Amino acid sequence: MSQKSFRDALNEALHLEMERDGTIIVLGEDVSGGAGGTSGQREASGGIFGVTKGLLPKFGADRVIDTPISESAIIGAAGGAALAGLRPVAELMFADFVGVSMDQIFNQMAKFRYMFGGKTRCPAVVRLAMGAGMNMGAQHSQSIYALLTAVPGLKVVVPSNAYDAKGLLIQAIRDDDPVMFFEHKALYPRKGEVPDGAYTIPFGEANLLREGEHVTVVAIGRMVVFAEKVVDTLAKEGITCDLIDPRTTSPLDEETILESVENTGRLVVVDESNPRCSVAADICAIVAEKGFHSLKAAPRSVTAPHSPVPFARELERAYVPGPTRIEAAIREVMKG
Amino acid sequence: MTAPLSAERLQRAYRQMKTIREFEERLHVEIATGEIPGFTHLYAGQEAVAVGVCEHLDDADYIVSTHRGHGHCIAKGCDVQGMMLEIYGRADGLCKGKGGSMHIADVTKGMLGANAIVGGGPPLAVGAAIACRNRGNRTVSIAFGGDGSCNQGTVFEAMNMAVVLKVPAIFVIEDNGYSEHTGKDYAVGSKDIAGRARGFGMPAERCDGSDFFAVYEAAGRLIDNARRGEGPSTLEATITRFYGHFEGDPQLYRAKDEVKRQRETMDCLKNFRARVTAEGWLSAATLDAIDGQVLAVIDAAVAKAKASPPPAESELETDVYISY
Amino acid sequence: MSTDRVRPVTMPKWGIEMQEGTVTAWNVELGRHVDKGDALLDVETEKIVNSVESPASGTLRRMLAPAGDTFPVGALIAVLSDPDVAETDIDAFVTNFKPFDASFAEGSTAAAAATAPSPPTAPAAPVAEAAADGAAEGEARVSPIARRLADKLGIDLSQVTGTGRNGRISKEDVEAYAATLQQAGTPAAAVVVIGMAEPVKREKLTSMRSTIARRLSESKRDLPHYRLVADLDMDALATQRAAMVAAGERVSINDLLLHAVAVALRQHPRLNAQFTGDELLQFEQVDLAVAVATPGGLVTPIVRNAAGLSVQQIATAVRELAERARAGKLAREEITGGTFTVSNLGMFGVRQFDAIINPPQVAILAIGAMEERPVARHGALAVGRVVTVTLSSDHRVVDGADAAAFLATLKATVAGVTAG
């Protein structure tokens, strides 16, 4: 057990699992890097964010595959390899590239098990780097897990910290259904206590990070970091909150959220995505439908605005839901 | 001339092609009654390609098919009764009635599914080919596609990826002259499908899809090369489809007597029969006997499908996940 | 390629959308031989005109679709047969033919009305695949909120059965387990006072009781209740009652008190009110809610315009409402919108008690038993009939002086009542 970054925790997960199971392969753009380069050096990247570092030298080019820029072929190959008995972990360098590979995700791998009468399995994992806050512009900064949460047949994972990241990635690799694994770029350097060995965290089980009486705060991905700050500050004032990190949006741990709202009667959901048809909207609707009689105030969501991610620093700062807006939302539901 | 296959293998090839033909011809009649739900795309006329390729494969090899998948399915060894039940949407269908004509699959036979998305299959085939390569057991992966699919970006990506990763994938393009209602000469800019594949860095050949022996020979060579680790290739087979793009297609884009002419001149079954009897490899009586047996099998399959129950409503939400 | 001797020709389905077709022209004559694939007739649909190919060979025995008429897909339009089949057999075939319903209408196939938005929880598919197991090695899987509750109640989670997600222990499971502990006599940390020696009935709260429970808790918690107690001199009222009973009227002491309360409220509209949290709504009309005990729980049906009714009218109304309350037959309008509530436990011998206000009302009067008590009158000891009443009021909007003034009026009204 020691302090490790989110990125290194993911890397550890990959190393441990690939050692354990020879059918696991990794594929994506520059997952090793340097193929065909004039320096003759491989491992030029270890993945653009360093998550797949060290895998090629250890496991070889048959299992760590640098691909051309062909997202449909990459994801399609993952689906086909999974049907054929391998356990692929494919990478979409930026979650935004889901666009050019969408058919292979939502028409193909999501639906094989169902369409083929339950007689196949597609144990593929697709890792996607998402999120804003690093000035990468509209097409490299989105948080679009809601699109995939909506697709039956997929599981969607959004870890918020290094410990969860490792356990959830190992779980994803061992899971026999197709899993979309979202990694917020701004979380990669964040450190936390992470055990050295392998461990799993089950899907559909939220983490209760703080306990309180007054408000249920649900936060997703990087928003957990901001929400924690706000909840701790408000606790000093006597406003205490249950802080729930769902960890997976599909399956979603509705039970924990509803049980918490039964106690507190108030809900705030924090989600970096755009508001329409977001997971925040989904959670508010679920609570309104199933927990209506527990509510003392209307549920509130704190999301990005209905706009693409802007480039200028000041605008991007205003785009991402921050502690100020989260605190305002909590205070507002306290008013009833 | 010596037969390129044993008498037993020749009979098997004929039986497979005849089964596909009668399966499709019967469906043409049955679909018109309205009893079969949804879209169906018939393969009648293209049998020699599916069989000419699949006769080189066994259960450990993979194929990925298209929306016009019945022929590939049968050629790869899928159960005819199970297929008919699936097309009728019955509980005992190959996919429990949940896939239908466009999504028939049997992974135990290496058949990774018919695919309703044009161009959806080739990337999957490349993935299966990666598995073949890594296993090092000389297995191969075949991606069937039409002339229509050749203009889909996913196919180009798959071809390039197959070359770059040097995987044992063979792309079999069945040029039947039409991509839905549009002629191939209009839609394929270079008019040369094999040439495109060559452009990606792999060997590509053309063959006459109405001649079983031509397909069998060319496919055999390319599959062998792949088994030996020489990488991917493309086989373009020129052929025709006797029916429309889908059942119900009035085919206004086709000259009035085109099909009639093609049933005379491009019928692979007629061609096969003529060849094997002329060469003395098989007798007409043998072939007739196979004809009779195949008809009986198809008859029985349809009768059973009509009498079988649909899936129970409780099956609606099962098999979405393994566990959730 | 059917070998049936009689073979139907039906309106074909061309493409997914076609629901019906109109016959435009026949191309063959009745009684002629037809080969499979021959163009029998032309049909026009919304989109195209096309020929219907004969599905089989045979003699054309019936043509059932005149040109110009429209038929749904699957309808019988012609009959083919072997040449030697009798006319009567053909007739029988036509009569017995069942057309296949190829429409998309709901109910024609399993038109599943699956509206449930919630994802399937652990369906028929085999559980315990690698996915869910890995996690809590040996430890009970518990929802975080359930764990918190269990800690609070001092419950050993290994004893609890989970019925939540994939067998996880939920809050409900912990609560259920806690309830069984009480019944078993084991000291459970919080919840409920008396431990019984022998098992008692296990009653899950009905929705009605749950609602009552919740509203009472909220009221007690959120409204600043304060109480004023007064003793009412009941001699005059008792005498009046005796007179009315002798005259054949069915009235109770409570009915007389209700009348007095209504009259007093007319003079103190600040207590005949509802408080929304922002506004105090004072009413002219006195809609008196009367607490009635029923097997399902306490209900408070309302006697509308109680101040405008005579005692007898109040008595009748209360009797009738109570009956229907006990039968569970009260309408929603009869239990909502009261302006003041009266609760009487005198029949059980309770001398004095405090009642809980029913929001949005601002006050409630609790009436105790009428007793003979020693009273001091004009310096001398006597025995009088006395009822102790307790007025609970919401201190946000009802000041002590207002409440006290109301009680004073009530006292005076009751003491100085005259027949009528």
Side-chain angles (χ1 to χ4, degrees), chain C residues 6 39 82 104 169 177 195 197 221 266 280 291 399:
Chain C
V6 184
D82 290 351
F104 293 132
I169 296 170
Y177 180 73
R221 188 177 57 219
R266 286 300 310 271
L280 181 68
D399 294 338

Side-chain angles (χ1 to χ4, degrees), chain B residues 93-116:
Chain B
L94 221 48
C95 300
K96 289 166 52 171
K98 288 164 134 174
S101 167
M102 289 196 288
H103 305 293
I104 300 194
D106 187 347
V107 173
T108 65
K109 296 275 185 339
M111 200 306 182
L112 300 184
N115 205 306

